[in-house]
Amino acid sequence: MKLLLSPVSVPTIETGLTSIARNVAELTGRVNSPLGKVNMSSDGARRRDVTVADVAKAAQVSKAQAARALGNYGAVSDDVRERVLAAAEELEYRPNELARSMNTGKSHTIGVVVGDIENPHFGLATRGITDTAKKSGFNVILINTDENTAAEMDAVRVLLDKRVDGLIVAPASSVETEHLRRVHESGRPLVLLDRSADRLAVETVAVDMAAISYESTRYLLDAGHRRVAFISTLRTDAGYSVEMRLDSSQISDRIEGMRRAFADAGCEFPEDLVRLNAGDAGSIRSLTREVLLGADPATAVVASDGLIALSVVEAIQEMRLRIPDDVSFLMYDDFAWTRLTTPPLTVVAQPVYEMGAAAASALIRQIEGRPPVAPAPEFQAALVRRGSVGPVPVAVPAP
Amino acid sequence: MKLLLSPVSVPTIETGLTSIARNVAELTGRVNSPLGKVNMSSDGARRRDVTVADVAKAAQVSKAQAARALGNYGAVSDDVRERVLAAAEELEYRPNELARSMNTGKSHTIGVVVGDIENPHFGLATRGITDTAKKSGFNVILINTDENTAAEMDAVRVLLDKRVDGLIVAPASSVETEHLRRVHESGRPLVLLDRSADRLAVETVAVDMAAISYESTRYLLDAGHRRVAFISTLRTDAGYSVEMRLDSSQISDRIEGMRRAFADAGCEFPEDLVRLNAGDAGSIRSLTREVLLGADPATAVVASDGLIALSVVEAIQEMRLRIPDDVSFLMYDDFAWTRLTTPPLTVVAQPVYEMGAAAASALIRQIEGRPPVAPAPEFQAALVRRGSVGPVPVAVPAP
DNA sequence: GTGAAAGCGCTAACAC
DNA sequence: GTGTTAGCGCTTTCAC
């Protein structure tokens, strides 16, 4: 609560401060000691906010000059600037960013739309986004869609209405993308995270899923596995079949990678072991049981994300099957806890934080109208071989 | 892109639509087919947004009437409402929430300030907050402070400048709370999460840490442990000592609970095993080694949160110590992965999601000026006994 | 350098 | 019911 200037610096300024004090007292309706709190306000009711007009009056300058000094733009003499700043400090003036945004058209806010912030994958990505945004002076409005396209359309609309400067969306669907197309066409910067959108030429930050899926499937094939199950939360109307068009680029890319690997190895892709619609922990557990207990059971299971992985491993443990002796296991996302299980789990590590950060910088670059730097950086996932993938068991384990 | 009304419904309306179409064409500078897109805008530059004035002109009513129909308030005849809505649809009008907020004084946005969104604890709490906020039509601006008070002060200021309707803060410090007091005194609703703030009478949603700490310490004492280590990220200037005043109510409550349990059991509290300032994975590992390898080593370790727990368990495994045979382990927060280790971990479960949700409803209640419901709900943590706490080993394990 | 005045897009009095 | 007219708090011409 100190004044910006020492009252002894220059005589003229001292006069300034004095009259400021008087004007401040008039405005607040009370006399105050030089360094005391001006706005006592434990008195319940929220008083009218202090505005530039108030500051201007106290500093005895025009509103325009006060605004210039406060927003530091335009031309302001040192004398005026000092008086204004002192008055602002004294009155505890705070700019109304809403009003500011209204005439500048910039809100310095970006909207982030994710499927589930509770999922550490998005938690980490969000951290990458917020860290980067903060560095450039941007704030983040976060909306959760629960991987539901209707909620996503809503989210996008709300964010646009709030006049965010740009959007980062991890689309729930790669097919239903009309709302995203609209954002893009409206001219507001948009960056996609994790998943792409069909026929929408928008900057997208994601890893090459087909490639890493191919690589990790190769790894399983090399270990002798032919019956590989793939479990994903992706919601579909029917069970999986080859010809169906999947809603998520991310998942279809992964399955595509698996198919290619099987084809290249001259093996038949175990289409019957692809399980979608894995929802809550219970359903994941029963899906796991299904693929592991059928007539021709899976010898390896691939979990599509960390949340699924938890339930799959739990189910496997409940079935008293050993990893990797009885069944091999592979999962997407490298969380710290995957090193703590016995054995530690083999995972596909994605540079999640970096991708969030990259999405944010790309968006901010667009917002600020700067051209893309060189070729957009490619993100590669990596297969981290730990202990959960082993050779195919010789005999099928007794249930 | 369908019109709200079928043009055949009533003759007068048909006329209305026709003139709307004409006026729309004038505004957009192009003629368009009845059901076609009006605002083609792949043409790069973001055009001026459509405003109520535009809609009013197209619908041939006053700005006020258009605004009333659009914001549905005040009195509007069916005829006018229909024409306005049709015009709005046709022009793809979207309200400017910024402008709306400016005159209503409500932004329908709440600010959430947490230490680290990457920590699943906050991820889950945030989910509770956003879910609840959405139900009441509120959005969330999320700011990460990295558990740094300066960043928190900044965050609060920014949020206030953006005129959020209220704030939920998980304070980095229970001692440096001037900035929070200011929020409170300024009259803007504030709810604290997880930790309380000294001498600040603000609604706070947190579990009774002292109680659960007492209970879990009793559990360890009953198992024979006397040398119990406690590892926390809490930053302090010096090492821990009894008389020091801790910056976090959460941590001091826990230590307080431990002390009481030790005192009640007639045992001496192993003050030398309290380790603060646990930062990155590396430092946590070395702290763990320290308490486990000293002259009078710990026989049980308590990890203050999930992130710390990961590194502690990892360190224990690296040291080739077995849990719970060589060392017992207890941690705060019940994450799904704690059931996957061998043995599964004994944890203190907190209703994190519910607390986030409760914080949000309390805040929204305050924002809407409703009185507190009955006594605020108490949140209790629970000790979940799994397999990581065992009896004290008879002989000290050889290093 | 400075100040008066005109917006930004909306809501809210206030007349009719 | 409807239209006119003020604002909200700020930025931004445009004169001086």
Side-chain angles (χ1 to χ4, degrees):
Chain A
M1 192 50 35
K2 275 191 34 244
L3 292 176
L4 283 180
L5 308 166
S6 149
V8 291
S9 49
V10 185
T12 57
I13 287 171
E14 181 161 23
T15 325
L17 282 178
T18 305
S19 45
I20 286 168
R22 180 165 29 73
N23 290 291
V24 163
E26 272 165 25
L27 282 169
T28 59
R30 75 193 72 205
V31 184
N32 60 287
S33 62
L35 296 179
K37 267 246 185 50
V38 175
N39 288 313
M40 290 304 299
S41 38
S42 19
D43 48 36
R46 194 189 314 178
R47 330 155 305 291
R48 206 179 108 285
D49 285 331
V50 176
T51 73
V52 264
D54 298 325
V55 175
K57 197 175 301 175
Q60 302 180 108
V61 297
S62 71
K63 227 178 59 176
Q65 280 309 82
R68 289 195 253 258
L70 259 11
N72 48 213
Y73 56 87
V76 186
S77 67
D78 287 354
D79 174 51
V80 167
R81 185 192 329 285
E82 282 160 353
R83 291 208 329 260
V84 169
L85 260 27
E89 177 98 17
E90 189 68 1
L91 291 168
E92 289 185 5
Y93 166 81
R94 293 270 72 215
N96 182 329
E97 290 295 344
L98 250 36
R100 206 165 253 186
S101 297
M102 273 219 54
N103 1 209
T104 59
K106 323 251 75 220
S107 62
H108 288 285
T109 302
I110 65 180
V112 173
V113 181
V114 299
D116 180 11
I117 187 63
E118 177 186 344
N119 185 328
H121 176 94
F122 286 123
L124 192 49
T126 302
R127 185 73 207 269
I129 294 173
T130 54
D131 283 359
T132 306
K134 183 186 291 186
K135 277 186 209 129
S136 305
F138 282 84
N139 290 109
V140 166
I141 298 187
L142 179 74
I143 305 192
N144 220 255
T145 63
D146 231 340
E147 299 293 4
N148 167 16
T149 304
E152 183 177 302
M153 290 166 53
D154 237 75
V156 166
R157 190 171 329 118
V158 167
L159 257 10
L160 254 25
D161 289 355
K162 280 203 181 298
R163 299 301 192 261
V164 294
D165 292 340
L167 285 171
I168 295 178
V169 179
S173 165
S174 298
V175 178
E176 295 181 74
T177 55
E178 255 315 288
H179 57 301
L180 298 177
R181 165 166 291 108
R182 301 269 266 262
V183 175
H184 187 224
E185 284 175 351
S186 84
R188 264 210 201 54
L190 167 68
V191 169
L192 263 28
L193 184 61
D194 272 357
R195 333 206 244 250
S196 59
D198 291 353
R199 288 161 303 143
L200 225 192
V202 160
E203 205 160 342
T204 302
V205 176
V207 304
D208 185 344
M209 276 300 171
I212 189 64
S213 175
Y214 181 89
E215 180 185 341
S216 44
T217 306
R218 274 300 299 244
Y219 177 60
L220 291 170
L221 284 164
D222 287 349
H225 297 279
R226 296 295 176 271
R227 299 287 296 159
V228 177
F230 178 76
I231 303 186
S232 162
T233 39
L234 182 63
R235 286 196 269 265
T236 57
D237 296 332
Y240 177 76
S241 68
V242 203
E243 61 286 341
M244 78 191 290
R245 178 144 169 263
L246 290 178
D247 209 33
S248 158
S249 66
Q250 187 158 207
I251 301 303
S252 51
D253 284 357
R254 290 187 196 174
I255 294 182
E256 177 52 29
M258 293 178 78
R259 304 191 82 83
R260 269 205 352 259
F262 269 89
D264 287 2
C267 302
E268 193 196 354
F269 178 65
E271 192 184 314
D272 60 309
L273 291 177
V274 173
R275 293 303 155 93
L276 308 178
N277 299 303
D280 56 303
S283 78
I284 299 173
R285 301 237 276 259
S286 52
L287 285 179
T288 307
R289 244 184 297 270
E290 266 176 52
V291 297
L292 254 23
L293 290 179
D296 191 5
T299 59
V301 181
V302 177
S304 173
D305 72 45
L307 254 26
I308 294 186
L310 287 166
S311 299
V312 170
V313 173
E314 215 168 353
I316 292 176
Q317 291 184 169
E318 278 172 13
M319 293 169 76
R320 304 249 163 267
L321 295 179
R322 290 159 307 165
I323 297 176
D325 310 271
D326 299 327
V327 56
S328 285
F329 179 81
L330 177 79
M331 66 179 275
Y332 280 81
D333 271 334
D334 182 20
F335 296 123
W337 61 264
T338 57
R339 290 191 301 261
L340 260 38
T341 54
T342 315
L345 306 176
T346 292
V347 304
V348 169
Q350 306 182 60
V352 182
Y353 179 92
E354 288 72 17
M355 287 166 64
S361 356
L363 185 69
I364 293 171
R365 176 178 50 60
Q366 284 189 39
I367 291 173
E368 297 180 341
R370 282 177 285 129
V373 282
E378 264 286 305
F379 285 95
Q380 274 317 129
L383 179 63
V384 182
R385 298 172 179 76
R386 292 205 269 252
S388 65
V389 172
V392 178
V394 269
V396 178
Chain B
M1 193 48 35
K2 276 198 28 253
L3 292 176
L4 284 179
L5 307 166
S6 150
V8 292
S9 50
V10 184
T12 58
I13 287 170
E14 182 161 25
T15 323
L17 282 179
T18 304
S19 45
I20 285 169
R22 181 163 30 74
N23 289 290
V24 161
E26 272 164 25
L27 283 168
T28 58
R30 75 193 74 203
V31 184
N32 60 287
S33 61
L35 296 179
K37 269 248 184 51
V38 174
N39 288 313
M40 289 304 299
S41 38
S42 19
D43 47 37
R46 195 188 313 181
R47 329 157 304 293
R48 207 180 109 283
D49 285 331
V50 176
T51 73
V52 263
D54 297 326
V55 175
K57 197 176 301 175
Q60 302 180 111
V61 296
S62 72
K63 228 177 58 176
Q65 279 309 83
R68 288 194 253 258
L70 257 13
N72 49 211
Y73 58 87
V76 186
S77 68
D78 287 355
D79 175 51
V80 167
R81 186 191 331 284
E82 283 162 352
R83 290 205 333 259
V84 170
L85 261 28
E89 177 97 17
E90 188 68 359
L91 291 168
E92 289 185 7
Y93 167 81
R94 292 271 71 214
N96 182 330
E97 290 295 343
L98 250 35
R100 206 166 252 185
S101 297
M102 273 220 56
N103 344 223
T104 60
K106 325 250 74 220
S107 62
H108 289 285
T109 302
I110 66 181
V112 173
V113 181
V114 300
D116 181 11
I117 187 63
E118 177 185 343
N119 184 327
H121 176 94
F122 285 124
L124 192 49
T126 302
R127 185 73 209 268
I129 293 172
T130 53
D131 283 359
T132 306
K134 183 187 291 187
K135 277 186 207 128
S136 304
F138 282 84
N139 290 109
V140 167
I141 298 187
L142 179 74
I143 306 192
N144 221 256
T145 64
D146 230 339
E147 298 294 4
N148 167 18
T149 304
E152 183 177 300
M153 290 166 50
D154 236 76
V156 166
R157 190 172 328 119
V158 167
L159 257 10
L160 255 24
D161 290 355
K162 280 202 180 297
R163 297 304 191 262
V164 293
D165 292 339
L167 284 172
I168 295 179
V169 179
S173 165
S174 298
V175 177
E176 295 181 74
T177 54
E178 257 314 292
H179 57 300
L180 298 177
R181 165 166 292 109
R182 301 267 267 262
V183 176
H184 187 224
E185 285 174 351
S186 84
R188 264 213 201 52
L190 168 68
V191 169
L192 263 29
L193 184 62
D194 271 356
R195 338 208 240 249
S196 59
D198 291 353
R199 290 161 303 141
L200 224 192
V202 161
E203 205 160 341
T204 302
V205 176
V207 303
D208 185 343
M209 276 299 170
I212 189 64
S213 176
Y214 181 89
E215 181 185 341
S216 45
T217 306
R218 275 299 299 242
Y219 178 59
L220 291 171
L221 284 163
D222 289 349
H225 296 279
R226 295 296 177 270
R227 299 287 295 160
V228 178
F230 178 75
I231 303 185
S232 162
T233 39
L234 182 63
R235 287 196 268 265
T236 57
D237 295 332
Y240 177 75
S241 68
V242 203
E243 61 286 342
M244 78 190 290
R245 177 145 170 262
L246 290 178
D247 209 34
S248 158
S249 67
Q250 188 159 206
I251 301 303
S252 51
D253 285 357
R254 289 186 197 173
I255 294 182
E256 177 52 27
M258 293 179 78
R259 305 191 80 84
R260 269 203 355 257
F262 270 88
D264 287 2
C267 302
E268 193 195 354
F269 178 66
E271 191 183 313
D272 60 308
L273 291 177
V274 174
R275 293 303 156 92
L276 307 178
N277 299 303
D280 56 303
S283 78
I284 300 173
R285 301 237 276 257
S286 52
L287 285 178
T288 308
R289 244 184 298 270
E290 265 176 56
V291 297
L292 254 22
L293 290 179
D296 190 3
T299 60
V301 180
V302 177
S304 176
D305 72 43
L307 254 24
I308 295 187
L310 287 166
S311 298
V312 170
V313 173
E314 215 168 353
I316 293 177
Q317 290 183 171
E318 278 171 12
M319 294 169 75
R320 303 249 163 265
L321 295 178
R322 290 157 308 163
I323 296 175
D325 310 271
D326 300 326
V327 56
S328 285
F329 180 80
L330 178 79
M331 65 178 276
Y332 281 81
D333 272 335
D334 183 19
F335 296 122
W337 61 263
T338 59
R339 291 192 300 261
L340 260 38
T341 54
T342 314
L345 305 176
T346 292
V347 303
V348 169
Q350 305 183 58
V352 183
Y353 179 92
E354 288 73 16
M355 288 167 61
S361 356
L363 185 70
I364 291 172
R365 176 178 51 58
Q366 284 187 38
I367 291 174
E368 297 180 343
R370 283 177 284 128
V373 282
E378 265 286 305
F379 285 95
Q380 274 318 129
L383 179 63
V384 181
R385 297 172 178 77
R386 293 205 269 250
S388 65
V389 172
V392 177
V394 270
V396 178

